[in-house]
Amino acid sequence: MKSNSQPIKLFLVVALSCTSLLVSLAPVLAKPTLSSSPSDRGAKTNLAQATAFNQPSLPSGPPPGGRVRGGAKRGGECEVSKLDLTALVHFTEGAKSVINVWGQTTVERPSWFFYVPYNKDLAYEVEFVLKEDPDSNDSNESNEIYRKAIALPEKPGIIRVSLPTTAPALALNKQYRWFFTINCDKQNKSPLTFVEGVIQRVELNPGAVKELQTTELLRRYTIYAQNGIWYDVLTTLAQLRQKNPKDAALQAEWRNLLSSIGLDDIAAEPIVSEKP
């Protein structure tokens, strides 16, 4: 009996050891991967869930107003398109259905994204203009900061417009009004097709600023979303998509982000110009 008990004890020890090992590994095996630096190098990105954008409240003072869509009308000079000219920016609807197009950035020279329903074969004049918002300065003047003629893309899609280093940097806590216009009538007899909004540069808390300096793009995207920094959210996600053009998770995140602000119809449109 004594000789038979030793193999049984050995078997029990091995079985218990394996069970303990599996239990210790269970949390690791079950934990989803949210982000990793290889995603910046073109590897597949794993997103545990869609990142929610924490939309901030409007600033105090007069409502910013604005226009997120600018469509051509039948009988006008612009070619009627399936989708309207659209600014990729969050907006709110106030009293009496007033639309407020307002967003924040943390950078001195941000980027804007627009869906343009026309291609370069149409001889339309397109322009981006940035001005100081008169409600945010003591002189109540709308001083022009930047004006740029924009070339229509090869095909309809989303384009990127960035404030260059040759233009003045955005000042902290100051609001600026931007316009993206399309002139389809060379005789200037028809009204412009345009979108318009307000951007304000803000500063994050020191902890977030420090983390942004050392973390990878996907984590930066999450930080901006949590803090309601729309322009930096969209630009960072566009950069991730540019680095990982075939990444299905990033494509889905892009669609989810735009759908969350009511731009479902634009969410699946291609980015045809990503140059700053």
Side-chain angles (χ1 to χ4, degrees):
M1 293 294 293
K2 187 175 181 179
S3 60
N4 292 335
S5 64
Q6 291 179 345
I8 293 174
K9 290 180 179 179
L10 180 60
F11 172 78
L12 290 173
V13 169
V14 173
L16 288 171
S17 299
C18 290
T19 301
S20 299
L21 179 61
L22 288 172
V23 170
S24 65
L25 285 174
V28 177
L29 295 173
K31 185 177 181 180
T33 302
L34 176 62
S35 64
S36 59
S37 56
S39 67
D40 289 355
R41 300 194 297 267
K44 184 178 180 181
T45 303
N46 294 313
L47 288 162
Q49 59 184 7
T51 301
F53 175 71
N54 184 21
Q55 185 164 302
S57 302
L58 290 175
S60 58
R67 183 183 176 99
V68 76
R69 296 183 190 268
K73 296 181 179 179
R74 296 190 181 278
E77 293 296 327
C78 286
E79 182 177 283
V80 177
S81 55
K82 180 180 177 181
L83 297 173
D84 293 335
L85 167 67
T86 304
L88 275 62
V89 60
H90 73 83
F91 58 95
T92 59
E93 187 170 343
K96 299 181 180 180
S97 299
V98 174
I99 299 297
N100 292 302
V101 184
W102 176 84
Q104 298 175 318
T105 182
T106 65
V107 299
E108 294 182 341
R109 293 178 174 84
S111 293
W112 292 257
F113 290 82
F114 303 95
Y115 171 76
V116 179
Y118 309 118
N119 62 39
K120 67 176 186 177
D121 295 334
L122 297 169
Y124 296 162
E125 295 178 353
V126 184
E127 194 171 53
F128 176 80
V129 178
L130 181 68
K131 299 182 177 182
E132 289 183 353
D133 193 62
D135 294 327
S136 66
N137 59 47
D138 296 332
S139 63
N140 291 324
E141 294 182 357
S142 182
N143 298 317
E144 186 171 295
I145 299 298
Y146 179 64
R147 181 182 292 266
K148 172 70 174 178
I150 306 296
L152 284 171
E154 294 280 341
K155 61 180 181 179
I158 296 168
I159 68 169
R160 176 179 178 178
V161 178
S162 298
L163 192 64
T165 56
T166 53
L170 300 191
L172 271 173
N173 302 316
K174 193 169 186 177
Q175 295 188 77
Y176 299 82
R177 188 168 293 273
W178 52 261
F179 303 85
F180 188 94
T181 63
I182 299 179
N183 183 6
C184 307
D185 180 11
K186 291 185 177 180
Q187 304 300 321
N188 295 319
K189 295 180 180 180
S190 299
L192 297 174
T193 298
F194 72 98
V195 288
E196 169 195 355
V198 173
I199 186 172
Q200 182 177 11
R201 183 183 164 211
V202 297
E203 191 170 37
L204 293 177
N205 64 73
V209 171
K210 184 176 181 180
E211 186 174 2
L212 285 169
Q213 293 172 346
T214 58
T215 193
E216 84 283 352
L217 275 179
L218 191 58
R219 176 58 186 156
R220 286 184 224 167
Y221 167 69
T222 302
I223 293 172
Y224 289 135
Q226 291 171 341
N227 287 274
I229 311 298
W230 174 259
Y231 289 95
D232 302 0
V233 164
L234 196 63
T235 300
T236 303
L237 188 54
Q239 290 173 338
L240 282 164
R241 287 195 62 193
Q242 185 177 21
K243 291 175 179 291
N244 306 271
K246 297 182 179 180
D247 194 311
L250 291 175
Q251 293 171 7
E253 185 68 16
W254 178 269
R255 291 192 297 270
N256 290 334
L257 179 65
L258 294 183
S259 296
S260 73
I261 62 167
L263 298 182
D264 310 64
D265 54 340
I266 303 299
E269 295 301 310
I271 301 176
V272 295
S273 172
E274 296 178 297
K275 295 181 179 180

